[in-house]
C-alpha cells in the first residue's frame, strides 16, 4: 500500500502520521538553526570554528552551498545520473515500505531498523544513496528534538592535549534535528561529489583533511552547533603544508568514531523501491494545517484522475 505524502516546508514527508507535527517543527527550524553558520561563512577572515573543522578557506563556498541547499530543500543535478531532485523523508513502521538490493539480496528498511534498535548499535535514521530517500526508524523519536543554544554547552580543551577537546562529541549529536541534518548533508554532498564518509567523534573530525571534512556530515554538525552556541575556544589544530600549497591536516582517524550509538547511517544501494504516492505540485505550506489540506488535494486529484481514466480503459477494452 502506498503511503500518502505531505509537503512540510520545502520537503516531502511520507507516513509520519501522528508525528507529522514533530517532523514539521524540525524542518521549520532548518533555516533559523543553520543561518548563524551561513552568516559565519561570509565572515572574513574565516572564524576559528570554520578553520577548526574544515581547515582551508577554499572550501567556504562549498560548505555554504551545502547548508543553503538544505535550508531551501533544493533540487539539484546528481553525479549519479539521477534526475534533479530533493531528499524525501519516510517514517518507517512496516515491511515493504522501502526496499533495495545489496549484493543481489533484497533488503528492507523496516528490517534494518528492527535489527539496529538496541544500544550500542541503535540507528535512528538512514539514507539510501544515491537515491533521495531518508528512512526514519522508530528509535529516531527516542532522542530530544533540539536544545536551546547556550555557551555553557561549549566543549572544553583537553587539559593534556591542546589539539583535542575533552569531550567526545556525543552530547552535541544525539538530537532529532541533527540526525535529520546529518542525512541531508549526505544527500547533497553525494549528489555533488559522489562521495561520503562517516566519522562521528569530534576529535576524530579534527583529524580529517579538508577535502574529507567537507564530505563528512558530523563535521558540519560540530561546526554549526559551535557557531550556534557562540563557542570561542577551540583546539590548536596541527596542520602541515599540502603539495602544491594550501594546508591539509595529517589524517589518522579516517572512518573511525568514538560515538558508539545513535549513529545515522548512509548506505550505497541499488534498485530502490519506495511505496509512496506521488505528490502534486503545490506551494510550500506555512503550517501543518495547510500541509494536510495539500495532501487531501493530492489524494482527491488522484481519485479524480482514476475516475477520468476508467471510461477510457473500458472503451479500450471494448475495442479489443
Amino acid at each position: 500500500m502506498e503511503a500518502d505524502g505531505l509537503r512540510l516546508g520545502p520537503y516531502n514527508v511520507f507516513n509520519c502520521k501522528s508525528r507529522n507535527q514533530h517532523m514539521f517543527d524540525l524542518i521549520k527550524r532548518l533555516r533559523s538553526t543553520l543561518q548563524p553558520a551561513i552568516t559565519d561563512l561570509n565572515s572574513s577572515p574565516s572564524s576559528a570554528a570554520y578553520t577548526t573543522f574544515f581547515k582551508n578557506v577554499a572550501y567556504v563556498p562549498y560548505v555554504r552551498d551545502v547548508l543553503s541547499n538544505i535550508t531551501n530543500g533544493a533540487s539539484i543535478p546528481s553525479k549519479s545520473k539521477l534526475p534533479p531532485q530533493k531528499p524525501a523523508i519516510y517514517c518507517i513502521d512496516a515491511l515493504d515500505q522501502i526496499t533495495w538490493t545489496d549484493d543481489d539480496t533484497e533488503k528492507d528498511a523496516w528490517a534494518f531498523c528492527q535489527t539496529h534498535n538496541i544500544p550500542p548499535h541503535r540507528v535512528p535514521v538512514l539514507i539510501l544513496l544515491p537515491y533521495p530517500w531518508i528512512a526514519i526508524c522508530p528509535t529516531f523519536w527516542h532522542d530530544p528534538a533540539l536544545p536551546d543554544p547556550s555557551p555553557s554547552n561549549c566543549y572544553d580543551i583537553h587539559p593534556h592535549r591542546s589539539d583535542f577537546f575533552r569531550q567526545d562529541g556525543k552530547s552535541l549529536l544525539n538530537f532529532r534535528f541533527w540526525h535529520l541534518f546529518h542525512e541531508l548533508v549526505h544527500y547533497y554532498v553525494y549528489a555533488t561529489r559522489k562521495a561520503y564518509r562517516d566519522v562521528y567523534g569530534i576529535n576524530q573530525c579534527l583529524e580529517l583533511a579538508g577535502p574529507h571534512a567537507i564530505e563528512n556530515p558530523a563535521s558540519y554538525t560540530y561546526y554549526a552547533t559551535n557557531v550556534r552556541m557562540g563557542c570561542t575556544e577551540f583546539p590548536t589544530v596541527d596542520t602541515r603544508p599540502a603539495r602544491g600549497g594550501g594546508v591539509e591536516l595529517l589524517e589518522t582517524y579516517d572512518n573511525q568514531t568514538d560515538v558508539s550509538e545513535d549513529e545515522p547511517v548512509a548506505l550505497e544501494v541499488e534498485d530502490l523501491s519506495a511505496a509512496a504516492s506521488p505528490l502534486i505540485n503545490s506551494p510550500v505550506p506555512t503550517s501543518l494545517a495547510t500541509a494536510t489540506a495539500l495532501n487531501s488535494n493530492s489524494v482527491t486529484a488522484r481519485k479524480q484522475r482514476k475516475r477520468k481514466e476508467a471510461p477510457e480503459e473500458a472503451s479500450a477494452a471494448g475495442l479489443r
Side-chain angles (χ1 to χ4, degrees):
M1 180 178 179
E2 292 184 339
D4 287 324
L6 303 178
R7 182 84 177 273
L8 301 184
Y11 290 102
N12 295 335
V13 176
F14 297 85
N15 201 50
C16 288
K17 301 174 183 176
S18 63
R19 307 282 193 180
N20 280 328
Q21 183 65 61
H22 298 291
M23 185 59 70
F24 191 44
D25 291 341
L26 290 179
I27 293 171
K28 282 196 303 182
R29 298 188 71 171
L30 283 171
R31 183 174 297 276
S32 61
T33 302
L34 299 181
Q35 188 57 52
I38 295 173
T39 300
D40 181 72
L41 289 165
N42 293 324
S43 64
S44 181
S46 295
S47 69
Y50 174 84
T51 54
T52 296
F53 294 105
F54 297 111
K55 318 303 183 300
N56 195 323
V57 296
Y59 305 119
V60 165
Y62 184 82
V63 174
R64 184 170 52 233
D65 284 349
V66 170
L67 297 184
S68 297
N69 285 336
I70 289 172
T71 61
N72 296 323
S75 295
I76 62 172
S78 170
K79 285 198 171 185
S80 302
K81 299 180 179 180
L82 293 174
Q85 50 196 324
K86 66 176 68 180
I89 300 164
Y90 201 125
C91 293
I92 301 297
D93 62 5
L95 290 169
D96 299 323
Q97 291 174 334
I98 293 182
T99 60
W100 65 90
T101 301
D102 181 15
D103 292 331
D104 297 323
T105 302
E106 186 174 275
K107 303 289 186 178
D108 187 280
W110 174 249
F112 187 94
C113 290
Q114 291 299 98
T115 56
H116 297 82
N117 67 349
I118 301 175
H121 303 293
R122 199 158 65 103
V123 174
V125 57
L126 64 150
I127 188 167
L128 302 159
L129 302 168
Y131 301 94
W133 289 100
I134 295 174
I136 304 294
C137 293
T139 57
F140 176 86
W141 305 105
H142 293 178
D143 290 320
L146 183 68
D148 292 330
S150 172
S152 64
N153 293 326
C154 294
Y155 280 1
D156 302 319
I157 308 302
H158 197 286
H160 304 300
R161 291 199 59 174
S162 63
D163 59 337
F164 264 34
F165 286 106
R166 183 166 61 180
Q167 297 88 343
D168 65 7
K170 183 175 177 180
S171 64
L172 297 181
L173 295 182
N174 287 349
F175 297 93
R176 295 198 298 265
F177 180 92
W178 296 119
H179 292 330
L180 178 61
F181 172 75
H182 185 108
E183 303 300 45
L184 291 170
V185 172
H186 266 314
Y187 176 75
Y188 285 108
V189 168
Y190 195 91
T192 52
R193 294 176 65 87
K194 203 174 181 180
Y196 75 99
R197 63 187 62 244
D198 267 323
V199 179
Y200 295 98
I202 194 168
N203 290 317
Q204 282 69 26
C205 288
L206 296 181
E207 299 284 340
L208 289 175
H212 292 172
I214 64 172
E215 296 171 351
N216 185 55
S219 298
Y220 289 79
T221 300
Y222 291 130
Y223 167 61
T225 55
N226 275 273
V227 171
R228 180 173 179 260
M229 293 187 299
C231 303
T232 57
E233 299 294 326
F234 296 95
T236 303
V237 180
D238 292 333
T239 61
R240 62 181 173 85
R243 292 182 181 179
V247 175
E248 297 296 347
L249 192 70
L250 181 62
E251 186 170 336
T252 58
Y253 289 99
D254 191 16
N255 284 318
Q256 296 183 26
T257 176
D258 58 3
V259 180
S260 60
E261 62 178 274
D262 281 326
E263 294 175 357
V265 170
L267 302 175
E268 284 185 292
V269 306
E270 298 177 349
D271 303 325
L272 182 141
S273 175
S277 300
L279 289 174
I280 60 172
N281 292 329
S282 57
V284 176
T286 56
S287 68
L288 184 61
T290 306
T292 303
L294 289 172
N295 186 54
S296 298
N297 290 339
S298 177
V299 174
T300 301
R302 290 197 301 273
K303 289 180 179 178
Q304 290 175 344
R305 185 170 61 249
K306 288 180 180 180
R307 285 198 297 268
K308 183 178 179 181
E309 292 170 353
E312 295 176 359
E313 294 172 357
S315 176
L319 291 174
R320 291 194 296 268

